[in-house]
Amino acid sequence: MSTRDQILAKVRAALADVPADERPEDVAVPRDYQRSRAGTDIVDLLIDRLVDYKAVVHHTASAAVGAAGHADASGVADAVVARLLVARGGRIGAPVGVPEEWLEGVDAVRDDPVLPAAELDALDGVVTGCALAIAETGTIVLDGSPDQGRRALTLVPDHHLCVVRLDQIVRTVPEALARLDPSRPLTWISGPSATSDIELDRVEGVHGPRTLEVVII
Amino acid sequence: MTGARARGAGATGVSGTFVGMPAFPIASAKAVGDSQLRHNLHKATHTIRGKRAAVVGEQPDWTELRAAGAAIKNRVLRHLDVYLEQLEAAVVKAGGHVHWAADAAEANRIVTALVKATGETEVVKVKSMATQEIELNEALADAGITAYETDLAELIVQLGDDRPSHILVPAIHRNRAEIREIFQRSMSEWGRPAPADLADDPPALAEAARLHLRERFLAAKVGISGANFAVAETGTLVVLESEGNGRMCLTLPETLISVVGIEKLVPTWQDLEVFMQTLPRSSTGERMNPYTSMWTGAAEGQEFHLVLLDNGRTDVLADQVGRQALRCIRCSACLNVCPVYERAGGHAYGSVYPGPIGAILTPQLRGMSSELDESLPYASTLCGACYDVCPVEINIPEVLLDLRAKVAAAGGKGHRVERLAMAGARRVLESPGLLKAGQRAAGRFRRLTPRRLPGPLAGWTDTRDIPAPPPQSFREWWERNR
Ligand code: SF4
């Protein structure tokens, strides 16, 4: 008998008290927790939570729409992203799917063909979009879509500028999971990496990017 | 548990790491006399406790989430065979390989063979209690493979040739000056040395760790991890972490091997919506931990191996009262509220699972085959604080009482353990007068004692570079001096 079959047999023997006709779904799971919630404006909430995690946050959406009307808003937002990257300086990595406008005037290199590890390590930063953002927890989720790239791209460089569209913001964790595709590799980011391992003092930035900059457009 | 009692720890064991450790009352008495450990533990448990209370308080549906979490885990456990087969099929379908390990030795053999097949002699590891439980690093070392721990705390523990003392902050028994000393002494033996002028403030120490580990991550061909959750429906594995070393280990290597206990399953993708809320808040007291990775099968072309580990879990499953311990999501909230843990420290529990959860899980996993295991169910005042905070409603006092009844029923040896353990637990809690007396005692004997103690106590002193405790146990000292 293979170990697999042995373990499964031991599991079944251990569960001798479970009635033979009980199906998994017969074990009731009460789901009266809240899947969504009303409350403060989700954009304000997201900004508040991101700042709480020491992320740098820029909000272009409301100002851009107000000043230039909807048609030009995306152009204004693109320019904001490019301006932030230029101001930051250095060589910036970008996945194939981010718009050329974000990289206007930026010393940018596309991850195509795939950059070797040493070159990733030599980058000063990386710019991506995201799959969604969770307001209550201040979380950005990446799913490897073309505007986000493979996981190493947003891991090795020290600075990550992530662009979040208003329609990508959800309030709660259950709302986020309902939108995400489990077959994609997912990375949930809630502020820069941190450790509290030395006498419980929080230190920002151990292995991931030490600066997380979020632009809401 | 009668069947389980017959098992030898050596055969199927959670095994050797802590063999030779003194039983809980003796080990805890020693820890009580160690003021650095006690100070750090006090700070740690109270800091995390406060943060946890704040973020749990702001979650309006906490009670409902807790009930749902417990029920989801009950569903998994009552139909574990179904879900294990479902998980296996989903992982294989997504291009991963699934291996089954009945015990520590088999798991270690599987992982060693997988690493050898890659031709590599070095692997990077992200903190995992399952791999600690099976002593994978030691097994790999025996096969000529070096396993590099990459969590800051695990790195401190590994460089200091030490053992973790807290699930979440394993190096909590070390202060910053000790950590600097460990880095300066040992980093060069493992790779990039610490800077000569290394300061002892936490940012400088973290920076030294970042530089030390970076070149290792970039060169690594094989990564080894555990997982917090495995979703049966989709085959997705989930790792929550803080530092980013998990992302490094899970993402950069060409081959990834994850060792996962068979109790880590959840039925559906949707079920994660419960635990992704309760685990971070219970664990580090954050609304969300800095990084979570979720992947299904061979992600981004990686070679992926899942090793499903039994190692005593099916024995726990067979016990209708004790079974609930397998719901544990390893958040460590129960440690941080436990008055015994705060005073005794993690090492006293003699296993990778310390605190209240260790007191019920370790004896069940190992089948109460030693005096230490039999004394663990007494490492509690039954105050119930652990039950109150547990995000999956594990009734730890209920299981403790049940285990105590089993120890007592075992007859002569059991009764002796019971008497000893109860006396020890009472004394540990008689603070602060007794604690001070303990410190004075340690001070008085320090210069007279060898740094290594003979016999069963050697295992304890071998792992510490703090002053050796007096050669008599704290209990014996107290009997004579009170
Ligand atoms: S027993 Fe409960 S509180 Fe303790 S570590 Fe496990 S899940 Fe957390």
Side-chain angles (χ1 to χ4, degrees), chain A residues 114-195:
Chain A
V114 164
L115 299 167
E119 267 182 65
L120 279 185
D121 196 29
L123 291 175
D124 296 292
V126 56
V127 58
T128 70
C130 70
L132 56 78
I134 309 170
E136 280 193 347
T137 57
T139 303
I140 307 276
V141 182
L142 307 177
D143 71 358
S145 292
D147 66 337
Q148 298 150 54
R150 65 195 167 110
R151 294 172 295 173
L153 182 64
T154 39
L155 174 59
V156 177
D158 203 13
H159 175 249
H160 179 197
L161 189 145
C162 183
V163 178
V164 180
R165 291 194 322 266
L166 284 178
D167 64 2
Q168 292 177 317
I169 305 173
V170 299
R171 181 182 302 276
T172 66
V173 169
E175 288 167 344
L177 277 157
R179 276 206 203 183
L180 291 168
D181 175 359
S183 69
R184 307 194 70 90
L186 301 175
T187 305
W188 296 38
I189 300 169
S190 308
S193 74
T195 179

Side-chain angles (χ1 to χ4, degrees), chain B residues 328-334 357 390-392 394 396:
Chain B
C328 176
I329 55 173
R330 313 275 189 266
C331 72
S332 74
C334 58
I357 181 60
C390 179
V392 284
I394 299 173
I396 294 175

Side-chain angles (χ1 to χ4, degrees), chain A residues 3 31 33 35 199 210, chain B residues 106 176 207 270-271 273:
Chain A
T3 302
R31 295 201 193 261
Y33 52 86
R35 203 167 270 114
E199 297 182 17
R210 281 183 284 195
Chain B
E106 187 169 13
R176 61 184 70 189
E207 170 77 12
Q270 191 199 342
D271 292 328
E273 71 188 19

Side-chain angles (χ1 to χ4, degrees), chain A residues 1-9, chain B residues 84-85 88 100-101 106:
Chain A
M1 194 148 87
S2 68
T3 302
R4 172 189 187 278
D5 294 343
Q6 268 171 36
I7 292 175
L8 287 171
Chain B
L84 282 168
E85 290 187 298
E88 178 188 45
W100 301 70
E106 187 169 13

Side-chain angles (χ1 to χ4, degrees), chain B residues 311-478:
Chain B
N311 204 33
R313 285 158 177 78
T314 46
D315 295 319
V316 186
L317 190 66
D319 187 305
Q320 290 180 44
V321 177
R323 179 182 293 166
Q324 57 186 308
L326 295 177
R327 295 205 298 253
C328 176
I329 55 173
R330 313 275 189 266
C331 72
S332 74
C334 58
L335 277 65
N336 298 322
V337 295
C338 178
V340 176
Y341 174 78
E342 186 190 317
R343 287 164 179 80
H347 290 134
Y349 292 83
S351 121
V352 292
Y353 304 107
I357 181 60
I360 61 170
L361 194 56
T362 304
Q364 294 197 86
L365 283 173
R366 294 201 283 221
M368 292 201 276
S369 52
S370 71
E371 206 167 271
L372 169 65
D373 293 350
E374 292 194 323
S375 70
L376 282 175
Y378 298 91
S380 168
T381 62
L382 301 177
C383 74
C386 47
Y387 181 26
D388 292 342
V389 296
C390 179
V392 284
E393 293 182 339
I394 299 173
N395 190 336
I396 294 175
E398 181 191 20
V399 182
L400 285 168
L401 283 174
D402 189 60
L403 291 173
R404 286 182 190 185
K406 284 172 178 135
V407 172
K413 185 179 154 217
H415 282 300
R416 196 175 75 78
V417 169
E418 176 173 8
R419 275 200 312 279
L420 248 170
M422 290 307 283
R426 212 168 41 240
R427 291 193 176 87
V428 167
L429 288 163
E430 282 169 4
S431 65
L434 183 58
L435 300 184
K436 282 211 204 84
Q439 277 173 271
R440 278 203 303 278
R444 198 181 312 157
F445 286 101
R446 186 171 301 151
R447 254 171 302 153
L448 304 175
T449 52
R451 284 182 62 85
R452 248 162 208 251
L453 297 179
L457 296 179
W460 180 252
T461 48
D462 274 354
T463 62
R464 327 266 309 156
D465 63 1
I466 52 156
Q472 61 195 148
S473 78
F474 185 80
R475 183 176 52 79
E476 288 162 346
W477 175 86
W478 176 248

Side-chain angles (χ1 to χ4, degrees), chain B residues 122 146-148 155-162 180-195 212-213 215-216:
Chain B
E122 297 186 345
T146 309
Y148 294 102
L155 179 72
I156 295 166
V157 168
Q158 185 173 57
L159 291 174
D161 200 14
D162 206 347
R180 179 177 66 167
E181 200 191 304
I182 290 169
F183 279 11
Q184 286 185 321
R185 189 180 60 229
S186 303
M187 268 187 176
S188 56
E189 291 164 29
W190 290 82
R192 182 179 172 135
H212 178 76
L213 289 172
E215 58 185 35
R216 180 144 296 137

